[in-house]
Amino acid sequence: MGIAVLACLFAAAGALATRSEDIQSTTTPVNAITALVFILGVAVSGSLREILSFIPLTSTVTMPARVLAGQAAWWEPAVALALSLAAATGIIAVSARVYRRALLQTDRKLSFRQAMKLAD
């Protein structure tokens, strides 16, 4: 589920670039989020790990680790998945909106805010 959400974020970030040279600058925030999620998921422990295992995106790394370690109750992965599905629905909707609006803009590089203001 987390991979699907990240793929939608990368698609929206890629659509904001008008030239291949702009892709690095538009995808840097998504790359930073991905790195932060992985580092937090691997480095944390204790109650912070429990909390992060329910937060979408970070639950992609922390919940499987808790399940494999035998630290999660049977219902916790189901709750984390439900929260991830809800967040994925919202992120996919916003990403689709940005992608749809920015895809045909070839005259300049768009910011996220500018893409949200464009008409469909």
Side-chain angles (χ1 to χ4, degrees), residues 85-110:
L85 284 171
T89 302
I91 290 171
I92 288 170
V94 170
S95 294
R97 185 175 179 178
V98 168
Y99 186 82
R100 202 173 44 247
R101 292 174 176 194
L103 190 61
L104 297 176
Q105 298 297 317
T106 58
D107 56 340
R108 67 190 191 288
K109 181 180 147 196
L110 293 174

Side-chain angles (χ1 to χ4, degrees), residues 16-100:
L16 292 175
T18 57
R19 303 175 306 154
S20 59
E21 292 85 9
D22 296 334
I23 290 179
Q24 183 177 359
S25 66
T26 60
T27 59
T28 297
V30 180
N31 286 331
I33 290 169
T34 304
L36 182 65
V37 163
F38 182 74
I39 291 168
L40 282 175
V42 172
V44 298
S45 61
S47 60
L48 182 57
R49 187 179 205 181
E50 278 186 48
I51 293 168
L52 290 178
S53 68
F54 290 102
I55 297 174
L57 289 181
T58 58
S59 66
T60 305
V61 177
T62 53
M63 186 54 80
R66 286 188 60 220
V67 169
L68 290 174
Q71 300 171 343
W74 66 269
W75 56 269
E76 290 178 342
V79 170
L81 181 61
L83 291 171
S84 290
L85 284 171
T89 302
I91 290 171
I92 288 170
V94 170
S95 294
R97 185 175 179 178
V98 168
Y99 186 82
R100 202 173 44 247

